[in-house]
């Protein structure tokens, strides 16, 4: 959630309407995102989404080139009309433009079991299926027969599993389900406590089994209770809306649900945030270290020290799951470091931070310099600062940085950061868990670079080794993550989901590979991914090639393509083709294939071609570990 100057919602909606009427939406993408991010009332958010989801507005925003298009689908067992416009608002604010297909009332089961005619034509990357208790009770003949209701609860999770099987066959992309709340209108019909408790116990067992479905690939299950709590709203619709509009869920809950589905979509697109930028004074600790001294800081113990320590604990846990921690503080650096490393109640030490800025420079500039140091985009950062003025300055000068709107009471700091879900992933990989160590090792590499004057000497001392790994169950999640999250060295911009990778491997229409990179300072993990297909003339096509920014400028990419060329030649292929499709972030690699001896790139498909007659030497400072020659096209 990015803060913006407080203004009446009516003024924000009027501004959006004026931009639409004047035809200026195309050139106002940044302003549109800012306005949408500032809207807090669900009614206003729905109105904004409906306004910007209309055909003319959609066309104008798409023409701006500032939004990533994504097809979505929504199924439901009750009326859920507010969700698509609410999704539009939530995702446009993050630079993503959804196109959400829906089906008729309570068609969630029929749509999939009849072959998904609507969804197959639309091709959604994510399908959300919002269920309420009518999905369970529609097959109950006597709602007062506790035996029948308990049996129905026991059978429902298996029915959902069968539904997911059909969805995988007909659509095959990410599905989002939810636990099913038991409404008061059904629960309170039983007048004896014993029966009511028995049914509720069966209902809770049912929802536990529904949550277990998240173990399936390509399945996310949301807890309705958790979504409602994060949204600060009861889940149930008012009785009047139940009768008038067949709503099972209230407006505020539907807004919270749309935001949660938006987080799932962002994770699916590799748009989850990577870096937590933390202030120190009055944020990670209570007090001002430069004025009060280290011993007077409030950390741990009684409130408010307990609240600041809770935020540190959250940051520590996030770092263990791959989130990069950085410091951005108005402070003297030596004093700040002393406090971090000597205060006995500090949970975080300087070694936990991958970048550190404690100075008197403006924080937006410090954030940008840390992003450059870490080789990430500032749009991957989340800024946490107790000072509203600092938050406002960051929002104005670096609108792409996500700014957490902290409450005035530090007791709510940790909850505000955790509940926002900025760092949510579909699946956590080993590389995610060790990302902080990898970035600290990167800093050591940079220090080595500074001590060596000759680039080749530096690269040889670095001792880089690459190992090719073919796609499989142990590395599939990471390979999908690389395709989904890599933006700069992503030669075509194609993002394969885990579902598509598995399906195409099973079909034999593509081969996927990961490339592990190690060096003298440690293991960078799987840092590259490659997709190969065989074309009708026998040539190999590098359908896409991505490489993590942390291993740029070491000739790793040259070595990988060199291995592909040698494998293709040895397999008797007539040529290897590569493709560069320009995106907003990969322009610096437009000449990558020509630099390796590929010709062409001028045709309608933009393909480059290497005829395999003259292969350049592999970079001498990149060793090839076990797996050389493993590249192949199906």
């Amino acid at each position: 959630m990015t803060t913006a100057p407080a203004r009446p919602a009516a003024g924000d909606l009027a501004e959006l309407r004026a931009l639409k009427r004047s035809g200026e939406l195309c050139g106002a993408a940044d302003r549109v995102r800012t306005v949408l991010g500032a809207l807090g009332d669900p009614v206003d958010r729905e109105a904004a989404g409906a306004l910007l989801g209309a055909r003319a507005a959609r066309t104008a925003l798409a023409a701006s080139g500032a939004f990533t298009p994504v097809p979505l689908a929504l199924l439901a067992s009750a009326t859920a009309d507010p969700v698509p416009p609410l999704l539009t608002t939530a995702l446009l604010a993050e630079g993503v433009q959804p196109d959400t297909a829906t089906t008729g009332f309570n068609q969630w089961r029929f749509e999939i079991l009849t072959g998904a005619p609507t969804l197959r034509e639309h091709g959604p990357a994510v399908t959300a299926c919002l269920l309420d208790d009518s999905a369970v009770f529609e097959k109950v003949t006597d709602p007062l027969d506790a035996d029948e209701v308990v049996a129905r609860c026991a059978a429902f999770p298996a029915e959902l599993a069968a539904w997911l099987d059909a969805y995988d066959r007909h659509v095959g992309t990410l599905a989002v389900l939810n636990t099913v709340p038991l409404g008061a209108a059904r629960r309170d019909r039983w007048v004896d406590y014993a029966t009511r408790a028995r049914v509720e116990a069966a209902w809770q067992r049912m929802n536990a089994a529904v949550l277990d479905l998240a173990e399936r690939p390509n399945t996310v299950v949301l807890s309705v209770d958790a979504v409602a709590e994060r949204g600060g709203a009861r889940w149930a619709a008012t009785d009047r809306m139940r009768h008038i509009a067949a709503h099972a869920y209230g407006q505020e809950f539907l807004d919270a649900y749309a935001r949660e589905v938006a987080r799932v979509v962002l994770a699916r697109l590799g748009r989850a945030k990577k870096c937590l930028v933390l202030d120190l004074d009055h944020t990670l600790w209570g007090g001002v270290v430069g004025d009060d001294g280290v011993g007077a800081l409030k950390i741990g113990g009684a409130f408010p020290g307990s609240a600041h320590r809770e935020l540190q604990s959250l940051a520590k846990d996030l770092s263990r799951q791959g989130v990069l921690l950085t410091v951005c503080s108005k402070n003297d650096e030596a004093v700040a470091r002393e406090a971090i490393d000597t205060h006995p109640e500090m949970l975080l030490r300087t070694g936990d931070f991958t970048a550190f800025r404690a100075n008197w420079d403006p924080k937006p500039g410090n954030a940008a310099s840390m992003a450059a140091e870490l080789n990430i985009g500032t749009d991957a950062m989340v800024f946490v600062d107790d000072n509203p003025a600092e938050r406002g300055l960051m929002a104005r000068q670096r609108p792409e940085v996500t700014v957490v709107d902290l409450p005035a009471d530090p007791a709510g700091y940790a909850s505000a950061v955790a509940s926002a879900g900025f760092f949510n992933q579909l699946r956590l990989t080993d590389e995610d868990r060790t990302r902080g160590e990898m970035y600290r090792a990167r800093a050591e590499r940079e220090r080595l670079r500074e001590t060596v004057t000759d680039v080749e000497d530096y690269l040889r001392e670095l001792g880089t080794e690459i190992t090719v790994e073919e796609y499989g169950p142990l590395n599939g999640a990471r390979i999908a993550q690389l395709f989904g999250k890599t933006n700069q060295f992503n030669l075509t911009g194609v993002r394969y989901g885990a579902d598509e990778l598995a399906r195409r491997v099973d079909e034999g229409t593509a081969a996927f590979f990961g490339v592990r990179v190690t060096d003298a300072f440690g293991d960078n993990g799987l840092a590259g991914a490659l997709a190969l297909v065989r074309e009708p003339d026998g040539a190999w096509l590098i359908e896409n090639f991505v490489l993590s920014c942390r291993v740029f400028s070491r000739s790793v990419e040259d070595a990988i393509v060199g291995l592909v060329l040698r494998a293709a030649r040895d397999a008797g292929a007539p040529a290897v083709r590569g493709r560069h499709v320009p995106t907003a972030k990969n322009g610096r690699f437009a000449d990558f294939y020509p630099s390796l001896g590929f010709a062409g790139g001028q045709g309608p498909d933009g393909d480059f071609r290497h005829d395999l007659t003259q292969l350049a030497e592999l970079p001498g400072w990149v060793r090839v570990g076990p797996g050389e020659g493993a590249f192949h096209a199906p």
Side-chain angles (χ1 to χ4, degrees), residues 149-204:
V149 174
V150 168
R152 178 75 184 124
C153 289
F156 187 68
E159 291 183 11
L160 277 186
W163 183 91
L164 284 169
D165 289 338
Y167 177 84
D168 286 341
R169 290 194 303 272
H170 301 310
V171 185
T173 55
L174 186 67
V176 182
L177 298 177
N178 60 277
T179 58
V180 183
L182 179 59
R186 300 189 192 275
R187 180 194 62 231
D188 295 340
R189 288 173 183 262
W190 287 285
V191 297
D192 64 302
Y193 289 110
T195 301
R196 191 181 298 173
R198 180 186 173 207
V199 170
E200 289 198 77
W203 203 271
Q204 290 183 22

Side-chain angles (χ1 to χ4, degrees), residues 585-603:
K585 294 189 175 182
N586 72 359
R588 62 184 283 198
F589 301 107
D591 295 328
F592 172 68
Y593 283 120
S595 72
L596 298 180
F598 285 71
Q602 304 301 317

Side-chain angles (χ1 to χ4, degrees), residues 353-376:
F353 298 101
T354 54
F356 202 100
R357 296 291 186 277
N359 54 39
W360 304 101
D361 297 336
K363 292 187 178 182
N366 277 336
S369 71
M370 287 193 295
E373 177 183 332
L374 298 173
N375 204 11
I376 63 174

Side-chain angles (χ1 to χ4, degrees), residues 267-630:
R268 168 66 178 81
L269 296 176
R271 302 283 285 268
K273 306 302 180 183
K274 298 178 181 178
C275 180
L276 184 61
V277 183
L278 294 161
D279 176 45
L280 295 177
D281 293 335
H282 295 305
T283 302
L284 277 192
W285 54 59
V288 178
V289 65
D291 295 338
D292 304 331
V294 174
L297 297 180
K298 298 179 179 65
I299 310 171
F303 178 81
S306 59
H308 296 290
R309 186 177 169 93
E310 183 181 41
L311 179 60
Q312 289 191 35
S313 176
L314 171 65
K316 187 87 169 179
D317 286 346
L318 290 173
S319 72
R320 293 173 60 196
Q321 299 171 85
V323 176
L324 306 178
L325 303 184
T326 66
V327 164
C328 189
S329 172
K330 293 285 183 68
N331 248 309
D332 179 82
E333 181 171 350
V335 173
R337 288 182 179 272
E338 178 190 4
I340 291 173
D341 284 334
T342 63
H343 196 291
E345 294 299 323
M346 282 291 297
L347 292 178
L348 298 171
R349 300 299 186 188
T350 54
D352 292 308
F353 298 101
T354 54
F356 202 100
R357 296 291 186 277
N359 54 39
W360 304 101
D361 297 336
K363 292 187 178 182
N366 277 336
S369 71
M370 287 193 295
E373 177 183 332
L374 298 173
N375 204 11
I376 63 174
T378 47
D379 59 354
M381 289 178 147
V382 174
F383 179 62
V384 177
D385 195 306
D386 70 288
N387 189 333
E390 294 289 359
R391 299 200 300 265
L393 182 64
M394 184 68 74
R396 285 193 297 273
Q397 295 193 0
R398 291 285 171 185
E400 72 280 7
V401 173
T402 297
V403 179
V404 180
D405 192 13
L406 289 182
D409 187 348
Y413 285 3
S415 295
V417 176
S419 63
F422 297 124
F423 305 104
N424 288 0
Q425 302 278 359
L426 298 182
R427 292 286 189 275
L428 206 62
T429 67
D430 289 340
E431 280 77 10
D432 290 324
R433 295 183 179 92
T434 59
R435 183 177 293 119
E437 296 175 12
M438 293 178 183
Y439 274 82
R440 284 187 284 276
R442 182 179 183 274
E444 293 295 327
R445 296 182 193 102
E446 291 303 311
R447 281 190 278 274
L448 172 63
R449 185 195 295 270
E450 292 172 2
T451 64
V452 178
T453 57
D454 183 84
V455 173
E456 287 196 14
D457 287 345
Y458 163 73
L459 292 173
R460 292 184 190 280
E461 288 188 36
L462 198 54
T464 301
E465 178 176 293
I466 62 174
T467 305
V468 178
E469 298 182 8
E470 189 166 2
Y471 169 90
L474 298 181
N475 61 18
R478 173 57 180 168
I479 290 175
Q481 187 182 68
L482 280 164
F483 280 122
K485 295 177 66 173
T486 306
N487 294 310
Q488 296 180 68
F489 195 102
N490 184 331
L491 296 185
T492 69
V494 174
R495 303 184 188 277
Y496 310 95
D499 48 336
E500 185 176 0
L501 294 178
R503 175 178 56 80
R504 293 188 65 187
V505 168
D506 288 342
E507 294 172 348
T509 57
F512 298 96
F513 303 87
V515 180
R516 185 172 299 277
V517 181
T518 61
D519 59 38
F521 294 101
D523 187 354
N524 291 277
L526 286 181
L530 196 83
L532 291 174
V533 301
R534 189 184 300 274
E535 300 196 300
D537 64 354
W540 291 14
L541 170 66
I542 303 175
E543 195 173 76
N544 197 15
F545 177 23
V546 300
L547 191 69
S548 170
C549 58
R550 63 175 177 261
V551 295
F552 281 176
S553 306
R554 297 201 227 169
S555 304
V556 168
E557 57 271 34
D558 299 356
I560 292 172
V561 172
L563 292 177
V564 172
L565 296 176
R566 283 159 174 76
R569 180 196 60 192
D570 295 345
V576 171
R577 296 190 179 94
R579 183 174 297 163
H580 178 268
V581 179
T583 68
K585 294 189 175 182
N586 72 359
R588 62 184 283 198
F589 301 107
D591 295 328
F592 172 68
Y593 283 120
S595 72
L596 298 180
F598 285 71
Q602 304 301 317
D605 55 8
D607 283 1
F608 296 92
R609 176 187 172 96
H610 199 297
D611 62 12
L612 306 178
T613 56
Q614 291 184 331
L615 302 185
E617 293 292 325
L618 295 177
W621 44 84
V622 178
R623 296 192 301 270
V624 180
E628 180 180 1

